[in-house]
Amino acid sequence: WNYAMGYHFTPQVNGQVTALGGYFNGTKTIKLFNKATGTVLATTTVSAANTWAYTPITPVNVTAGTTYTIAVYLAGTGASYRSGLSPVLPRTFADIRIEGSTYASTSTTPTARPTNTITSTMYGQADVGFVRGSP
């Protein structure tokens, strides 16, 4: 699949994103965006073999109430998704509220940023490492 896939999330407390990762197969690029501005806040590569894997990053401060996007760039192979989520999104996990899944085709624009919001399927299974509080 030539897609960037992930989710939009809103921290419920101030904190830091300390790692980017996900569940897929192969070495993939993962990006963290400010959803409203589209600014790329962090980029890394992660290698996984059909399992969850994470790469530590220089911590990125995130603000409670601000929405961010995490996306894995699949480059044609190694995708993973979950459909029929119950209950549907949005849903809060500890200090993070996942607002919805998102995806964008990267067939013609390899750096496309996903902006749509889907609440019944989790595309890409990208993820963040989050620590509450900031320095």
Side-chain angles (χ1 to χ4, degrees):
W1 301 341
N2 287 315
Y3 285 93
M5 298 179 162
Y7 61 85
H8 305 299
F9 69 95
T10 305
Q12 304 302 289
V13 297
N14 291 339
Q16 294 181 320
V17 173
T18 59
L20 303 179
Y23 188 100
F24 45 82
N25 190 36
T27 300
K28 307 296 178 198
T29 297
I30 299 181
K31 295 182 181 182
L32 175 67
F33 299 91
N34 176 299
K35 183 178 185 274
T37 65
T39 303
V40 176
L41 304 174
T43 301
T44 194
T45 58
V46 177
S47 295
N50 292 318
T51 189
W52 289 98
Y54 296 83
T55 297
I57 60 169
T58 301
V60 175
N61 292 331
V62 292
T63 306
T66 299
T67 302
Y68 301 88
T69 303
I70 180 71
V72 57
Y73 285 73
L74 297 168
T77 63
S80 174
Y81 71 95
R82 292 185 58 205
S83 62
L85 297 178
S86 179
V88 295
L89 302 172
R91 192 166 160 196
T92 302
F93 299 90
D95 294 325
I96 298 283
R97 180 173 173 83
I98 297 178
E99 306 296 345
S101 181
T102 188
Y103 66 90
S105 173
T106 56
S107 293
T108 57
T109 307
T111 59
R113 174 176 64 100
T115 58
N116 58 358
T117 302
I118 310 298
T119 57
S120 61
T121 302
M122 182 58 78
Y123 290 105
Q125 296 196 84
D127 199 19
V128 298
F130 177 79
V131 175
R132 82 184 352 240
S134 58

